[in-house]
Amino acid sequence: MASVPWLRRLLLGVALLVVLVPALIGGCVTWVYTGAAISTAGSTDFRNELAIPPLAEGALDPDGTRIFDLEMRTGRKEFRPAQTTETWGFNGDYLGPTLRARRGERVEVRVRNALPEASTVHWHGMHLPAAMDGGPHQTVAAGASWTPRWTIDQPAATLWYHPHPHGATEQHVRRGLAGLFLLDDENAESLSLPAEYGVDDLPVIVQDVKFTGSGFDNAHRIFRNAGFLGEQILVNGTLAPYREVGAELVRLRLLNASTARIYNFAFADERTFALIGTDGGLVPRPLTLDRVQLSPGERAEIVVRMRAGERTVLRSNPLDAGLDFWNQRFSGGDDRFDILELRAAAALRPAPPLPAALAALSVPDGAQAARERHFDLNLAGINNVPMAMDRIDLTVTRGSTEIWVVRNADGMPHNFHVHDAQFRVLSVNGGPPPAPLTGAKDTVFVAPDSTVRLALRFDGPADPDTPYMYHCHLLWHEDQGMMGQFVVVEPGQAAGAPPGHGH
Ligand code: C2O
Ligand code: CU
Ligand code: CU
């Protein structure tokens, strides 16, 4: 061997490679894995007063229609002292006003797009005609306007609005386009619940962000197959927020307006709270909980009891979402965030106990279901078919109830959102749904390898040519094609063709 030194060198080189390369790769993976968990829990200096989005009650037209104006525009905002970030917002730099209307009212929203590109405005959770829904078919070109009108015909609820342009929803929402749309009704108004907007009834719009010099850093990091995951939390556009409260009972309307991150909300001191509402409105009776998990698009209304002079911190804890070791870490499951500090005044306005009964559930129980459909969630597409603008995937009959069985056939987190209809979660993996899923829902988390059964009723109106959407609300997944379209038709009618698209 000594006679062929080049061979010895070669063998030594190969041996080194065999040892070093895996060690290097292993080292990198460990480094990336270790660096992937974020925690701001317990280390937040709550220095900014929580902003409350302005309440827009609109103007009443002589015929009684409530008219709102929304302009989508570019802006700049100082989230951090002396550093401006380029943003998008409705009627302002970031987020939008809270729209508010009452059941039975006719509303009209004059949407103007002053952005440099086309977008749409979708009313998430709203029961309304498909042509007013603001999905990817109701595009508003740059400089153009769109004026949807409909009648509010559903129970009091915390809904929201955001853009829905096909393939670009994640980026449009990330830049700041989102707002709340609160609905009231006679029943909710008759209950003694904290209901003074911005005082004892606080909007809590939760988003994760990452900043660069003058903008948001919206890049997806390695292995984050959920989509964008940020490192800091904004609540109503405020970093490290606190809010002073002056009542014993405080209602928080939690909205997960993040594009991929799932939150597991709880108080740092582990106090319990009452869950009073889910996506579609009030639950039948207050439910005492110490955790509520929300995936993107979901809402929860909770009521927390405060003692004079104390402070408590709303937090997001590591997820209990059935994710495997890898996804738990790389989909943000191990992250912990301080969300909002509540500071109680030295003397608090006394509040009566919560009512024992809140509202009757308006979602069907599935007993009269006309049919059952199956949806397999996969990043490649729902039932393995990516979204196509010119293909209607399902036709449902107006007035009928259906059972939709949704299975996460993927290793990664997904959820499922249906436009127009609220649903009841009948079961999760064959068992009764957990308490936070017992109210009306329009978005539900579906853990890897699990199945949810939903009952929904399609109350129309029929429009065979204009589809509603169903999709994963992790918005990058939606943009990748995890979306399908359904139309509502009269009995016996066939689906038409979506107007002005495809071919
Ligand atoms: Cu919140 Cu189809 O969207
Ligand atoms: Cu929606
Ligand atoms: Cu998904």
Side-chain angles (χ1 to χ4, degrees):
M1 286 296 267
S3 59
V4 274
W6 61 270
L7 184 62
R8 286 181 62 161
R9 256 182 253 130
L10 180 70
L11 288 176
L12 194 64
V14 169
L16 267 174
L17 277 179
V18 165
V19 174
L20 278 183
V21 169
L24 264 174
I25 293 176
C28 286
V29 169
T30 309
W31 181 70
V32 168
Y33 181 85
T34 312
I38 304 166
S39 177
T40 65
S43 60
T44 307
D45 169 20
F46 297 96
R47 60 192 180 280
N48 301 311
E49 185 173 19
L50 177 72
I52 301 292
L55 189 63
E57 299 192 70
L60 277 187
D61 184 88
D63 77 355
T65 304
R66 198 171 282 280
I67 301 174
F68 300 98
D69 285 285
L70 282 184
E71 185 180 70
M72 313 167 85
R73 52 170 92 138
T74 60
R76 320 178 117 256
K77 188 174 158 67
E78 266 191 35
F79 295 102
R80 302 162 295 167
Q83 280 174 292
T84 53
T85 301
E86 286 169 22
T87 55
W88 286 5
F90 290 99
N91 300 1
D93 291 328
Y94 192 76
L95 298 177
T98 296
L99 309 187
R100 187 154 207 171
R102 213 162 172 273
R103 186 170 198 168
E105 267 181 337
R106 198 167 159 71
V107 297
E108 173 178 311
V109 191
R110 300 191 292 212
V111 174
R112 215 187 89 73
N113 180 2
L115 299 172
E117 60 184 272
S119 191
T120 83
V121 184
H122 165 59
W123 320 102
H124 180 127
M126 196 78 73
H127 170 51
L128 79 185
M132 309 298 163
D133 190 44
H137 293 281
Q138 286 88 43
T139 300
V140 191
S145 295
W146 175 62
T147 307
R149 298 175 184 88
W150 71 96
T151 300
I152 306 291
D153 183 20
Q154 66 192 93
T158 301
L159 310 184
W160 66 300
Y161 59 93
H162 63 79
H164 217 300
H166 185 38
T169 297
E170 186 202 32
Q171 291 305 317
H172 285 215
V173 174
R174 288 228 60 78
R175 288 174 175 142
L177 293 172
L180 286 172
F181 202 138
L182 307 185
L183 301 184
D184 300 308
D185 68 8
E186 210 176 310
N187 170 57
E189 286 162 353
S190 76
L191 299 169
S192 68
L193 289 172
E196 209 179 323
Y197 182 80
V199 177
D200 60 5
D201 181 353
L202 304 177
V204 181
I205 304 172
V206 183
Q207 299 173 296
D208 59 337
V209 293
K210 188 166 182 239
F211 294 102
T212 58
S214 66
F216 289 120
D217 176 355
N218 289 334
H220 295 185
R221 309 220 11 233
I222 189 167
F223 304 137
R224 292 342 183 257
N225 52 25
F228 171 85
L229 291 172
E231 297 176 353
Q232 284 178 285
I233 300 296
L234 291 177
V235 182
N236 304 344
T238 313
L239 276 172
Y242 69 87
R243 187 79 191 176
E244 271 155 28
V245 292
E248 282 176 356
L249 289 183
V250 179
R251 176 188 200 162
L252 303 177
R253 297 185 189 245
L254 305 174
L255 160 63
N256 181 351
S258 305
T259 52
R261 187 174 284 288
I262 304 163
Y263 299 93
N264 188 10
F265 293 109
F267 287 92
D269 53 17
E270 296 291 331
R271 74 182 55 199
T272 59
F273 51 84
L275 177 81
I276 60 163
T278 53
D279 302 340
L282 297 173
V283 291
R285 61 197 62 80
L287 299 162
T288 304
L289 300 175
D290 61 5
R291 292 277 182 286
V292 63
Q293 188 163 292
L294 297 181
S295 66
E298 290 184 286
R299 287 87 68 209
E301 292 186 35
I302 65 171
V303 174
V304 57
R305 181 168 285 279
M306 301 293 294
R307 283 182 306 265
E310 72 169 347
R311 293 181 177 191
T312 188
V313 174
L314 180 70
R315 239 180 217 173
S316 178
N317 287 312
L319 303 182
D320 179 15
L323 300 175
D324 63 27
F325 179 78
W326 186 261
N327 276 286
Q328 175 75 5
R329 176 59 55 104
F330 288 105
S331 301
D334 289 329
D335 298 346
R336 307 173 76 222
F337 289 102
D338 283 333
I339 306 288
L340 167 67
E341 184 180 64
L342 295 177
R343 300 180 180 173
L348 296 177
R349 181 154 44 87
L354 289 176
L358 297 172
L361 262 193
S362 55
V363 281
D365 62 10
Q368 306 298 324
R371 60 175 300 169
E372 185 171 307
R373 301 183 198 262
H374 290 254
F375 301 84
D376 270 6
L377 302 183
N378 203 295
L379 189 54
I382 296 176
N383 292 331
N384 284 308
V385 214
M387 161 79 178
M389 290 286 280
D390 56 359
R391 184 192 67 235
I392 304 286
D393 297 275
L394 317 170
T395 303
V396 304
T397 305
R398 188 177 66 79
S400 67
T401 296
E402 298 196 355
I403 307 279
W404 287 15
V405 182
V406 185
R407 186 171 78 100
N408 182 343
D410 225 351
M412 61 182 81
H414 295 300
N415 69 9
F416 191 71
H417 168 52
V418 185
H419 286 208
D420 185 54
Q422 294 289 330
F423 50 75
R424 185 190 300 238
V425 179
L426 298 175
S427 68
V428 176
N429 292 328
L437 299 184
T438 52
K441 296 285 292 169
D442 56 49
T443 307
V444 63
F445 180 68
V446 191
D449 301 312
S450 65
T451 302
V452 296
R453 275 176 81 82
L454 316 174
L456 340 67
R457 186 174 51 239
F458 300 93
D459 286 325
D463 180 346
D465 298 318
T466 313
Y468 295 105
M469 306 294 133
Y470 54 87
H471 57 90
C472 177
H473 216 289
L474 277 67
L475 296 181
W476 178 65
H477 292 181
E478 175 195 323
D479 288 339
Q480 292 290 299
M482 280 193 76
M483 179 154 71
Q485 315 196 80
F486 70 98
V487 287
V488 177
V489 300
E490 294 296 349
Q493 201 179 18
H501 280 287
H503 316 300

